[in-house]
Amino acid sequence: MNKLSELEASLALPSSLMPFSPSWTGANEVTIWVKRDDMIHPIMSGNKWRKLAYTLKSTKPNAMVSFGGGFSNHLHALGYASYQLGIPLTAIVRGNYSASPSPMINDLMNWNVDIEYVDRITYQKRNDPDYISQLQQRYNNALIIPEGGSQQSALHGIGEMVDEIAIPFDVIMAPVASGATLAGIINKLSNTQQALGIGVLKGDNYLESLVSQFISDKCSAWSIDHRFHLGGYAKVPSELRIFCDEFNTTMPFTIEPVYSGKLFWALKQLLKEGYFPKGSNIIVLHTGGLQGARS
């Protein structure tokens, strides 16, 4: 068994689908299921593995380079995978954490990841073709993986998640940051199903553009609700922190405030508003990333 096969053997796939019946206003009017992608792996959980899977399967890079912030779930999952596969990884990190490494940065260092801290202006070049070409030259034609693992091959892994859902549903909810997860879901919907993204950062129109680059213009049964970013990416106001703490002590699974916390915060509010038609069957995608709560 090669290293990739060993890595795949450690994954709990397909992930489970569990009923969710909170005592929230309006919850008794619909049926809610949680797709437990947080249970795929203790480190490479959720959509992060799904978005990386086909890239790692289809290529045999001699080195990899990718991007993220100091608490990036994507870099965390990729760092672990690179360590297990013996593929050198350079993480280009927005901001300088050298004096006070985040828990994620400490993990990357333990996994022998080469960390390059860059300022905001340099980080903004992460999708610039000239900058990408320079990185490939610097790092021996390394495979450049976009921020968040959002690339065309990621859609196949996300599509497999949708294929695993064996029950009929009306809408599937997911957090949105880099766009590929929602796009992968949209590409698998039937004519009677809808996808609802919950923006976890400030990005009216911007998030829509990230998703649209991966889908056909004919795909129209989707939207992104921008009301629940609660100040921006990784912003955790006290009311969100309290919500997550109460959730984690009363519910049968755990959430964190960056992605899943805002997703379930949105679900609670939407149920209260009567957003979903009575009798709707709702899938809520738990994208994992619980390591991001370590701050």
Side-chain angles (χ1 to χ4, degrees), residues 269-295:
Q269 181 61 34
L270 292 169
L271 290 169
K272 183 178 180 180
E273 294 174 0
Y275 175 90
F276 305 102
K278 186 175 181 178
S280 294
N281 217 14
I282 304 164
I283 306 293
V284 184
L285 174 61
H286 193 320
T287 53
L290 296 176
Q291 71 87 26
R294 305 177 300 166
S295 60

PDB file of all heavy atoms in Angstrom, residues 269-295:
ATOM      1  N   GLN A 269     -31.570  31.654  12.780  1.00  0.00           N
ATOM      2  CA  GLN A 269     -32.272  32.878  12.434  1.00  0.00           C
ATOM      3  C   GLN A 269     -33.244  32.657  11.272  1.00  0.00           C
ATOM      4  O   GLN A 269     -34.370  33.161  11.275  1.00  0.00           O
ATOM      5  CB  GLN A 269     -31.268  33.978  12.077  1.00  0.00           C
ATOM      6  CG  GLN A 269     -31.900  35.316  11.722  1.00  0.00           C
ATOM      7  CD  GLN A 269     -32.716  35.908  12.864  1.00  0.00           C
ATOM      8  OE1 GLN A 269     -32.360  35.742  14.035  1.00  0.00           O
ATOM      9  NE2 GLN A 269     -33.813  36.590  12.535  1.00  0.00           N
ATOM     10  N   LEU A 270     -32.812  31.900  10.269  1.00  0.00           N
ATOM     11  CA  LEU A 270     -33.660  31.647   9.106  1.00  0.00           C
ATOM     12  C   LEU A 270     -34.899  30.843   9.487  1.00  0.00           C
ATOM     13  O   LEU A 270     -35.996  31.071   8.955  1.00  0.00           O
ATOM     14  CB  LEU A 270     -32.859  30.923   8.023  1.00  0.00           C
ATOM     15  CG  LEU A 270     -31.754  31.751   7.358  1.00  0.00           C
ATOM     16  CD1 LEU A 270     -30.860  30.867   6.496  1.00  0.00           C
ATOM     17  CD2 LEU A 270     -32.345  32.881   6.518  1.00  0.00           C
ATOM     18  N   LEU A 271     -34.740  29.902  10.403  1.00  0.00           N
ATOM     19  CA  LEU A 271     -35.897  29.151  10.890  1.00  0.00           C
ATOM     20  C   LEU A 271     -36.879  30.079  11.601  1.00  0.00           C
ATOM     21  O   LEU A 271     -38.102  29.992  11.409  1.00  0.00           O
ATOM     22  CB  LEU A 271     -35.438  28.047  11.850  1.00  0.00           C
ATOM     23  CG  LEU A 271     -34.686  26.870  11.230  1.00  0.00           C
ATOM     24  CD1 LEU A 271     -34.056  26.012  12.322  1.00  0.00           C
ATOM     25  CD2 LEU A 271     -35.603  26.025  10.352  1.00  0.00           C
ATOM     26  N   LYS A 272     -36.357  30.980  12.378  1.00  0.00           N
ATOM     27  CA  LYS A 272     -37.204  31.937  13.104  1.00  0.00           C
ATOM     28  C   LYS A 272     -37.960  32.840  12.138  1.00  0.00           C
ATOM     29  O   LYS A 272     -39.130  33.194  12.378  1.00  0.00           O
ATOM     30  CB  LYS A 272     -36.333  32.768  14.048  1.00  0.00           C
ATOM     31  CG  LYS A 272     -37.113  33.742  14.910  1.00  0.00           C
ATOM     32  CD  LYS A 272     -36.168  34.493  15.849  1.00  0.00           C
ATOM     33  CE  LYS A 272     -36.938  35.482  16.732  1.00  0.00           C
ATOM     34  NZ  LYS A 272     -36.024  36.211  17.658  1.00  0.00           N
ATOM     35  N   GLU A 273     -37.300  33.198  11.040  1.00  0.00           N
ATOM     36  CA  GLU A 273     -37.924  34.063  10.039  1.00  0.00           C
ATOM     37  C   GLU A 273     -38.947  33.338   9.172  1.00  0.00           C
ATOM     38  O   GLU A 273     -39.679  33.970   8.411  1.00  0.00           O
ATOM     39  CB  GLU A 273     -36.847  34.651   9.123  1.00  0.00           C
ATOM     40  CG  GLU A 273     -35.878  35.597   9.808  1.00  0.00           C
ATOM     41  CD  GLU A 273     -34.739  36.032   8.882  1.00  0.00           C
ATOM     42  OE1 GLU A 273     -34.727  35.574   7.709  1.00  0.00           O
ATOM     43  OE2 GLU A 273     -33.886  36.801   9.329  1.00  0.00           O
ATOM     44  N   GLY A 274     -38.991  32.003   9.259  1.00  0.00           N
ATOM     45  CA  GLY A 274     -39.857  31.241   8.376  1.00  0.00           C
ATOM     46  C   GLY A 274     -39.364  31.224   6.950  1.00  0.00           C
ATOM     47  O   GLY A 274     -40.144  31.133   6.001  1.00  0.00           O
ATOM     48  N   TYR A 275     -38.042  31.282   6.800  1.00  0.00           N
ATOM     49  CA  TYR A 275     -37.431  31.342   5.465  1.00  0.00           C
ATOM     50  C   TYR A 275     -37.750  30.094   4.640  1.00  0.00           C
ATOM     51  O   TYR A 275     -38.002  30.180   3.433  1.00  0.00           O
ATOM     52  CB  TYR A 275     -35.924  31.508   5.628  1.00  0.00           C
ATOM     53  CG  TYR A 275     -35.136  31.466   4.330  1.00  0.00           C
ATOM     54  CD1 TYR A 275     -34.892  32.619   3.607  1.00  0.00           C
ATOM     55  CD2 TYR A 275     -34.612  30.256   3.849  1.00  0.00           C
ATOM     56  CE1 TYR A 275     -34.174  32.585   2.418  1.00  0.00           C
ATOM     57  CE2 TYR A 275     -33.902  30.219   2.660  1.00  0.00           C
ATOM     58  CZ  TYR A 275     -33.687  31.385   1.956  1.00  0.00           C
ATOM     59  OH  TYR A 275     -32.975  31.330   0.778  1.00  0.00           O
ATOM     60  N   PHE A 276     -37.735  28.946   5.276  1.00  0.00           N
ATOM     61  CA  PHE A 276     -37.938  27.676   4.566  1.00  0.00           C
ATOM     62  C   PHE A 276     -39.425  27.326   4.537  1.00  0.00           C
ATOM     63  O   PHE A 276     -40.102  27.396   5.558  1.00  0.00           O
ATOM     64  CB  PHE A 276     -37.162  26.543   5.247  1.00  0.00           C
ATOM     65  CG  PHE A 276     -35.696  26.816   5.411  1.00  0.00           C
ATOM     66  CD1 PHE A 276     -35.186  27.212   6.648  1.00  0.00           C
ATOM     67  CD2 PHE A 276     -34.829  26.688   4.337  1.00  0.00           C
ATOM     68  CE1 PHE A 276     -33.832  27.462   6.809  1.00  0.00           C
ATOM     69  CE2 PHE A 276     -33.465  26.942   4.489  1.00  0.00           C
ATOM     70  CZ  PHE A 276     -32.977  27.331   5.725  1.00  0.00           C
ATOM     71  N   PRO A 277     -39.939  26.915   3.380  1.00  0.00           N
ATOM     72  CA  PRO A 277     -41.334  26.473   3.327  1.00  0.00           C
ATOM     73  C   PRO A 277     -41.588  25.325   4.295  1.00  0.00           C
ATOM     74  O   PRO A 277     -40.728  24.483   4.521  1.00  0.00           O
ATOM     75  CB  PRO A 277     -41.496  26.022   1.864  1.00  0.00           C
ATOM     76  CG  PRO A 277     -40.451  26.776   1.110  1.00  0.00           C
ATOM     77  CD  PRO A 277     -39.292  26.884   2.055  1.00  0.00           C
ATOM     78  N   LYS A 278     -42.777  25.311   4.871  1.00  0.00           N
ATOM     79  CA  LYS A 278     -43.148  24.262   5.803  1.00  0.00           C
ATOM     80  C   LYS A 278     -42.995  22.890   5.139  1.00  0.00           C
ATOM     81  O   LYS A 278     -43.398  22.698   3.995  1.00  0.00           O
ATOM     82  CB  LYS A 278     -44.592  24.457   6.261  1.00  0.00           C
ATOM     83  CG  LYS A 278     -45.035  23.503   7.355  1.00  0.00           C
ATOM     84  CD  LYS A 278     -46.438  23.839   7.835  1.00  0.00           C
ATOM     85  CE  LYS A 278     -46.867  22.892   8.951  1.00  0.00           C
ATOM     86  NZ  LYS A 278     -48.231  23.232   9.472  1.00  0.00           N
ATOM     87  N   GLY A 279     -42.393  21.960   5.863  1.00  0.00           N
ATOM     88  CA  GLY A 279     -42.189  20.617   5.339  1.00  0.00           C
ATOM     89  C   GLY A 279     -40.884  20.430   4.580  1.00  0.00           C
ATOM     90  O   GLY A 279     -40.599  19.334   4.089  1.00  0.00           O
ATOM     91  N   SER A 280     -40.069  21.478   4.490  1.00  0.00           N
ATOM     92  CA  SER A 280     -38.796  21.385   3.759  1.00  0.00           C
ATOM     93  C   SER A 280     -37.863  20.361   4.401  1.00  0.00           C
ATOM     94  O   SER A 280     -37.820  20.197   5.626  1.00  0.00           O
ATOM     95  CB  SER A 280     -38.096  22.745   3.732  1.00  0.00           C
ATOM     96  OG  SER A 280     -38.813  23.689   2.980  1.00  0.00           O
ATOM     97  N   ASN A 281     -37.114  19.689   3.558  1.00  0.00           N
ATOM     98  CA  ASN A 281     -36.079  18.767   3.996  1.00  0.00           C
ATOM     99  C   ASN A 281     -34.741  19.461   3.769  1.00  0.00           C
ATOM    100  O   ASN A 281     -34.350  19.725   2.623  1.00  0.00           O
ATOM    101  CB  ASN A 281     -36.169  17.473   3.181  1.00  0.00           C
ATOM    102  CG  ASN A 281     -35.855  16.247   4.015  1.00  0.00           C
ATOM    103  OD1 ASN A 281     -35.818  16.299   5.240  1.00  0.00           O
ATOM    104  ND2 ASN A 281     -35.611  15.130   3.350  1.00  0.00           N
ATOM    105  N   ILE A 282     -34.026  19.768   4.845  1.00  0.00           N
ATOM    106  CA  ILE A 282     -32.838  20.624   4.783  1.00  0.00           C
ATOM    107  C   ILE A 282     -31.593  19.830   5.155  1.00  0.00           C
ATOM    108  O   ILE A 282     -31.566  19.139   6.178  1.00  0.00           O
ATOM    109  CB  ILE A 282     -32.974  21.821   5.748  1.00  0.00           C
ATOM    110  CG1 ILE A 282     -34.251  22.611   5.442  1.00  0.00           C
ATOM    111  CG2 ILE A 282     -31.752  22.721   5.680  1.00  0.00           C
ATOM    112  CD1 ILE A 282     -34.658  23.555   6.558  1.00  0.00           C
ATOM    113  N   ILE A 283     -30.558  19.937   4.331  1.00  0.00           N
ATOM    114  CA  ILE A 283     -29.245  19.367   4.650  1.00  0.00           C
ATOM    115  C   ILE A 283     -28.325  20.509   5.055  1.00  0.00           C
ATOM    116  O   ILE A 283     -28.209  21.508   4.338  1.00  0.00           O
ATOM    117  CB  ILE A 283     -28.637  18.632   3.440  1.00  0.00           C
ATOM    118  CG1 ILE A 283     -29.587  17.572   2.879  1.00  0.00           C
ATOM    119  CG2 ILE A 283     -27.280  18.022   3.824  1.00  0.00           C
ATOM    120  CD1 ILE A 283     -29.848  16.409   3.790  1.00  0.00           C
ATOM    121  N   VAL A 284     -27.668  20.379   6.188  1.00  0.00           N
ATOM    122  CA  VAL A 284     -26.692  21.372   6.639  1.00  0.00           C
ATOM    123  C   VAL A 284     -25.319  20.709   6.615  1.00  0.00           C
ATOM    124  O   VAL A 284     -25.094  19.706   7.301  1.00  0.00           O
ATOM    125  CB  VAL A 284     -27.021  21.887   8.056  1.00  0.00           C
ATOM    126  CG1 VAL A 284     -26.042  22.991   8.457  1.00  0.00           C
ATOM    127  CG2 VAL A 284     -28.457  22.392   8.126  1.00  0.00           C
ATOM    128  N   LEU A 285     -24.403  21.249   5.821  1.00  0.00           N
ATOM    129  CA  LEU A 285     -23.069  20.655   5.680  1.00  0.00           C
ATOM    130  C   LEU A 285     -22.129  21.174   6.753  1.00  0.00           C
ATOM    131  O   LEU A 285     -21.790  22.357   6.779  1.00  0.00           O
ATOM    132  CB  LEU A 285     -22.502  20.973   4.294  1.00  0.00           C
ATOM    133  CG  LEU A 285     -21.052  20.522   4.057  1.00  0.00           C
ATOM    134  CD1 LEU A 285     -20.918  19.011   4.200  1.00  0.00           C
ATOM    135  CD2 LEU A 285     -20.559  20.991   2.682  1.00  0.00           C
ATOM    136  N   HIS A 286     -21.722  20.281   7.642  1.00  0.00           N
ATOM    137  CA  HIS A 286     -20.716  20.623   8.652  1.00  0.00           C
ATOM    138  C   HIS A 286     -19.345  20.408   8.017  1.00  0.00           C
ATOM    139  O   HIS A 286     -18.917  19.279   7.793  1.00  0.00           O
ATOM    140  CB  HIS A 286     -20.885  19.736   9.881  1.00  0.00           C
ATOM    141  CG  HIS A 286     -20.119  20.210  11.087  1.00  0.00           C
ATOM    142  ND1 HIS A 286     -18.840  20.737  11.008  1.00  0.00           N
ATOM    143  CD2 HIS A 286     -20.461  20.238  12.414  1.00  0.00           C
ATOM    144  CE1 HIS A 286     -18.422  21.059  12.211  1.00  0.00           C
ATOM    145  NE2 HIS A 286     -19.388  20.778  13.077  1.00  0.00           N
ATOM    146  N   THR A 287     -18.662  21.505   7.741  1.00  0.00           N
ATOM    147  CA  THR A 287     -17.404  21.434   6.991  1.00  0.00           C
ATOM    148  C   THR A 287     -16.185  21.217   7.882  1.00  0.00           C
ATOM    149  O   THR A 287     -15.052  21.333   7.409  1.00  0.00           O
ATOM    150  CB  THR A 287     -17.203  22.718   6.166  1.00  0.00           C
ATOM    151  OG1 THR A 287     -17.325  23.870   7.019  1.00  0.00           O
ATOM    152  CG2 THR A 287     -18.233  22.819   5.047  1.00  0.00           C
ATOM    153  N   GLY A 288     -16.394  20.895   9.139  1.00  0.00           N
ATOM    154  CA  GLY A 288     -15.252  20.574  10.002  1.00  0.00           C
ATOM    155  C   GLY A 288     -14.459  21.800  10.384  1.00  0.00           C
ATOM    156  O   GLY A 288     -15.008  22.846  10.719  1.00  0.00           O
ATOM    157  N   GLY A 289     -13.130  21.660  10.355  1.00  0.00           N
ATOM    158  CA  GLY A 289     -12.265  22.797  10.679  1.00  0.00           C
ATOM    159  C   GLY A 289     -12.306  23.200  12.131  1.00  0.00           C
ATOM    160  O   GLY A 289     -12.069  24.370  12.460  1.00  0.00           O
ATOM    161  N   LEU A 290     -12.561  22.263  13.023  1.00  0.00           N
ATOM    162  CA  LEU A 290     -12.670  22.614  14.431  1.00  0.00           C
ATOM    163  C   LEU A 290     -11.351  23.112  15.005  1.00  0.00           C
ATOM    164  O   LEU A 290     -11.333  23.790  16.038  1.00  0.00           O
ATOM    165  CB  LEU A 290     -13.180  21.411  15.221  1.00  0.00           C
ATOM    166  CG  LEU A 290     -14.595  20.951  14.861  1.00  0.00           C
ATOM    167  CD1 LEU A 290     -14.961  19.689  15.646  1.00  0.00           C
ATOM    168  CD2 LEU A 290     -15.624  22.037  15.109  1.00  0.00           C
ATOM    169  N   GLN A 291     -10.237  22.798  14.322  1.00  0.00           N
ATOM    170  CA  GLN A 291      -8.945  23.282  14.810  1.00  0.00           C
ATOM    171  C   GLN A 291      -8.875  24.810  14.798  1.00  0.00           C
ATOM    172  O   GLN A 291      -8.101  25.415  15.534  1.00  0.00           O
ATOM    173  CB  GLN A 291      -7.812  22.687  13.966  1.00  0.00           C
ATOM    174  CG  GLN A 291      -7.689  23.223  12.553  1.00  0.00           C
ATOM    175  CD  GLN A 291      -6.842  24.471  12.447  1.00  0.00           C
ATOM    176  OE1 GLN A 291      -5.961  24.721  13.270  1.00  0.00           O
ATOM    177  NE2 GLN A 291      -7.110  25.281  11.421  1.00  0.00           N
ATOM    178  N   GLY A 292      -9.697  25.439  13.947  1.00  0.00           N
ATOM    179  CA  GLY A 292      -9.689  26.890  13.840  1.00  0.00           C
ATOM    180  C   GLY A 292     -10.150  27.602  15.098  1.00  0.00           C
ATOM    181  O   GLY A 292      -9.948  28.807  15.245  1.00  0.00           O
ATOM    182  N   ALA A 293     -10.784  26.854  16.009  1.00  0.00           N
ATOM    183  CA  ALA A 293     -11.245  27.460  17.259  1.00  0.00           C
ATOM    184  C   ALA A 293     -10.109  27.621  18.257  1.00  0.00           C
ATOM    185  O   ALA A 293     -10.294  28.259  19.303  1.00  0.00           O
ATOM    186  CB  ALA A 293     -12.342  26.599  17.868  1.00  0.00           C
ATOM    187  N   ARG A 294      -8.946  27.085  17.977  1.00  0.00           N
ATOM    188  CA  ARG A 294      -7.810  27.181  18.897  1.00  0.00           C
ATOM    189  C   ARG A 294      -7.148  28.535  18.734  1.00  0.00           C
ATOM    190  O   ARG A 294      -6.389  28.774  17.800  1.00  0.00           O
ATOM    191  CB  ARG A 294      -6.787  26.087  18.608  1.00  0.00           C
ATOM    192  CG  ARG A 294      -7.358  24.676  18.637  1.00  0.00           C
ATOM    193  CD  ARG A 294      -6.288  23.668  18.270  1.00  0.00           C
ATOM    194  NE  ARG A 294      -5.754  23.915  16.929  1.00  0.00           N
ATOM    195  CZ  ARG A 294      -4.631  23.370  16.452  1.00  0.00           C
ATOM    196  NH1 ARG A 294      -3.911  22.583  17.219  1.00  0.00           N
ATOM    197  NH2 ARG A 294      -4.238  23.627  15.223  1.00  0.00           N
ATOM    198  N   SER A 295      -7.440  29.444  19.607  1.00  0.00           N
ATOM    199  CA  SER A 295      -6.868  30.788  19.507  1.00  0.00           C
ATOM    200  C   SER A 295      -6.535  31.323  20.894  1.00  0.00           C
ATOM    201  O   SER A 295      -6.873  30.697  21.892  1.00  0.00           O
ATOM    202  CB  SER A 295      -7.843  31.723  18.799  1.00  0.00           C
ATOM    203  OG  SER A 295      -9.059  31.807  19.510  1.00  0.00           O
TER     204      SER A 295
END
